[in-house]
Amino acid sequence: MDRYQSRRKGTTTMKSTVDHPTAAKPFVANQERMKWHDGALWFVREKRDRQAHSIPEWEYLRELASQTKAHTQANLAEYLEAFERQATAAGAVVHWAADAEEHNAIVLGLLQKNNVQRVVKSKSMLTEECHLNPYLEAQGIEVVDTDLGERIIQLRDEPPSHIVLPAIHLKKGDVGETFHEHLGTEKGASDPKYLTEAARQHLRDRFLNAQAGITGVNFAIAETGGVTVCTNEGNADLGASLPPLHIACMGIEKLIPRQADLGIFLRLLARSATGQPITTYSSHFLGPREGGQLHIVLVDNGRSSIRDRDEFREALNCIRCGACMNTCPVYRRSGGHSYASVVPGPIGSVLSPAADTEQHKSLPFACSLCGSCTDVCPVKIPLHHQLLAWRQEIGREGLLPVSKRMPMKAAAALFARPRLFAVAGWFGRFALRVLPHALTHNRLNTWAVARELPIAPKKSFRSWYRDQDRPANSLPIVTPDPESSPTKNR
């Protein structure tokens, strides 16, 4: 968390390794907040379920979305070129950025060219990924996040803890304290209506005085060259409409082929994200407004590398709804900051190691492999399979600590030898019954800190199974006749 928090202050130490269990400790230690966080996200998950069950064609939409994304990824170069042609024809200027550094330099160049000193920005995970805010602030440009949750954490100098609900880790009282400190609201105020009105008045001046608006992009349409931005507060519309300069920043995976495809994703996005039928504002931008400028920055920043890997390519299908986070038992109980990544949760645990495997090697293990993330993903990304694949990849690259490697090798040797396994089982059952509990549960064994071993049975499963009465009508065991084997004469 320290690493990611320092990003906000522009003093990044990006190569420090993330240890999820260690980073999660402060959040887990606060039992009351952890249970509240767990319940708040599960409430959103239940809303998502009700919306999904209300649409008979829900699974059909998921399949269509998955196939559309797969088709787009397979023909990405052609669709990107088509998008550039159509967007340019509509009057927009398209820029290409290979990485975060180029993206930030392009945005800064546009702002400097137009003598911009004050910027309003709607929620954009891409700009978070590129660390745009601290970069621009270091150049003397004021950047105000206009999404309410983003503005709250910006005032607190914290990173978002969720891609859709960036301040979900905070309670009303926390927001009240923040607003009292920065906006001068009454001390101790926690009424949501009062606090929201204070934020509204605070942001109004920023909107009116902004010289440029920066937005993210939810979907870009190759057929038309238009981009779509979804918000619940209308802040992206205001930020893009009042100032004369609109800069839309998007990852290249945001592309979809046709205007007709957009409806599929709009129906899935809000229902999966917050359990709404549709986002309050789905704004469509096709070229600049009269007298204004529209610049669209297409960013790769490692996406082509993910696209080249068969086992992880589907992660680029993500539409950033956050449904996998809302359902993940690990995320709900450890909080988003424990991932120390722009995108936390299951999808972040897939994407982050792709950017830097060494740094994020612990994230694929912050998973119970329950598969709930895969079940709710609106574009059918096999997330828990990808997390398992990352564990294998991390093992192959020799990045597992000795404390994991050696027990795994020992277990592999044991499971490959049935007699040895039987002896070890007998010894384990005996030892657990007679040896003192402190032998396994002590301060040297961190595994046992929050775990308890089951009571050792007196006999093995095989012995128990042999002692059971077999059903009278059980099917006979058929032994293949080698003489009649269809492969005998091959």
Side-chain angles (χ1 to χ4, degrees):
M1 182 174 172
D2 291 342
R3 176 198 63 80
Y4 192 29
Q5 281 187 331
S6 67
R7 175 202 56 79
R8 283 268 171 182
K9 300 169 185 173
T11 56
T12 52
T13 53
M14 295 301 293
K15 288 300 179 183
S16 58
T17 301
V18 177
D19 183 54
H20 181 267
T22 303
K25 275 184 180 177
F27 192 88
V28 174
N30 189 336
Q31 290 277 325
E32 188 270 336
R33 185 176 290 267
M34 182 188 71
K35 288 181 180 176
W36 169 82
H37 187 264
D38 181 15
L41 287 168
W42 189 250
F43 173 74
V44 180
R45 158 70 202 265
E46 289 181 322
K47 285 177 65 184
R48 173 263 173 208
D49 288 350
R50 285 194 291 274
Q51 286 293 334
H53 295 157
S54 69
I55 300 179
E57 66 273 25
W58 180 256
E59 291 303 321
Y60 176 65
L61 287 173
R62 290 181 72 208
E63 184 60 33
L64 269 182
S66 177
Q67 291 182 11
T68 303
K69 281 288 188 178
H71 169 77
T72 309
Q73 298 297 343
N75 301 277
L76 188 59
E78 291 83 357
Y79 282 126
L80 283 170
E81 290 174 359
F83 174 79
E84 182 183 29
R85 282 195 304 273
Q86 297 301 327
T88 303
V93 181
V94 177
H95 307 262
W96 298 81
D99 53 28
E101 187 177 354
E102 279 193 18
H103 164 265
N104 292 347
I106 290 169
V107 174
L108 176 63
L110 291 170
L111 297 178
Q112 290 178 332
K113 184 179 178 182
N114 289 276
N115 300 314
V116 172
Q117 293 297 312
R118 297 181 300 278
V119 174
V120 287
K121 183 168 76 67
S122 66
K123 184 146 63 64
S124 159
M125 297 315 297
L126 176 71
T127 58
E128 289 286 338
E129 173 187 326
C130 296
H131 307 155
L132 181 64
N133 279 21
Y135 178 81
L136 294 181
E137 288 163 359
Q139 304 299 322
I141 296 173
E142 179 191 71
V143 183
V144 175
D145 283 315
T146 55
D147 174 88
L148 180 56
E150 286 277 342
R151 185 56 178 157
I152 292 168
I153 59 171
Q154 187 181 33
L155 291 173
R156 295 171 62 90
D157 199 20
E158 290 180 357
S161 66
H162 190 290
I163 60 174
V164 175
L165 311 164
I168 188 65
H169 59 291
L170 300 174
K171 292 186 172 183
K172 291 182 292 185
D174 301 322
V175 177
E177 287 180 17
T178 303
F179 280 12
H180 172 68
E181 180 182 351
H182 295 278
L183 307 186
T185 56
E186 296 173 13
K187 185 172 178 57
S190 60
D191 177 49
K193 186 176 179 182
Y194 170 75
L195 295 174
T196 304
E197 182 60 26
R200 186 166 172 260
Q201 296 300 326
H202 161 71
L203 288 171
R204 181 187 297 269
D205 287 340
R206 270 61 181 181
F207 278 119
L208 292 174
N209 292 310
Q211 298 163 301
I214 298 176
T215 68
V217 171
N218 289 92
F219 305 102
I221 303 158
E223 180 183 48
T224 65
V227 298
T228 302
V229 183
C230 302
T231 70
N232 276 325
E233 300 168 22
N235 55 308
D237 306 70
L238 206 54
S241 302
L242 289 178
L245 174 61
H246 175 195
I247 303 173
C249 306
M250 59 171 276
I252 56 176
E253 84 283 8
K254 296 291 187 179
L255 210 59
I256 56 176
R258 306 171 303 167
Q259 182 75 29
D261 300 322
L262 183 61
I264 301 168
F265 293 95
L266 290 180
R267 296 184 75 191
L268 289 168
L269 177 63
R271 288 180 170 90
S272 299
T274 54
Q276 300 169 245
I278 195 166
T279 44
T280 309
Y281 299 88
S282 296
S283 305
H284 308 271
F285 298 94
L286 182 60
R289 67 178 174 84
E290 188 175 349
Q293 301 176 50
L294 171 60
H295 294 263
I296 303 171
V297 187
L298 300 173
V299 185
D300 188 316
N301 203 33
R303 287 161 175 77
S304 293
S305 299
I306 298 175
R307 180 173 171 266
D308 291 341
R309 303 182 69 168
D310 292 342
E311 65 271 47
F312 303 120
R313 182 179 302 127
E314 288 171 284
L316 292 179
N317 295 355
C318 178
I319 59 173
R320 301 292 192 270
C321 68
C324 60
M325 299 167 201
N326 302 338
T327 197
C328 175
V330 177
Y331 174 87
R332 296 200 318 267
R333 293 169 177 83
S334 62
H337 289 160
S338 62
Y339 293 79
S341 177
V342 173
V343 180
I347 183 65
S349 298
V350 171
L351 295 174
S352 297
D356 190 326
T357 309
E358 167 73 25
Q359 184 182 353
H360 300 286
K361 63 185 179 185
S362 75
L363 296 187
F365 296 90
C367 170
S368 64
L369 297 179
C370 67
S372 185
C373 49
T374 301
D375 290 342
V376 301
C377 178
V379 288
K380 306 186 80 168
I381 302 172
L383 284 162
H384 71 294
H385 292 291
Q386 293 189 341
L387 288 168
L388 185 59
W390 262 121
R391 294 183 185 186
Q392 295 167 339
E393 180 67 23
I394 289 167
R396 277 194 292 270
E397 292 186 20
L399 296 175
L400 286 175
V402 175
S403 59
K404 279 188 185 295
R405 286 203 310 270
M406 297 312 293
M408 288 298 104
K409 286 186 177 179
L414 187 65
F415 295 153
R417 296 167 175 80
R419 291 181 182 277
L420 182 61
F421 181 82
V423 172
W426 174 87
F427 179 77
R429 292 192 300 277
F430 173 76
L432 285 174
R433 286 199 302 271
V434 300
L435 293 178
H437 184 262
L439 191 68
T440 55
H441 287 68
N442 53 60
R443 62 185 178 84
L444 298 178
N445 186 7
T446 56
W447 182 89
V449 169
R451 298 179 175 91
E452 188 52 79
L453 291 169
I455 298 173
K458 293 182 179 178
K459 62 173 77 171
S460 69
F461 172 78
R462 289 187 179 187
S463 299
W464 171 85
Y465 187 73
R466 279 196 298 268
D467 294 343
Q468 302 306 303
D469 292 333
R470 302 296 175 83
N473 59 348
S474 60
L475 294 174
I477 298 174
V478 178
T479 303
D481 181 0
E483 293 300 319
S484 60
S485 171
T487 61
K488 181 187 175 189
N489 298 323
R490 288 183 182 179

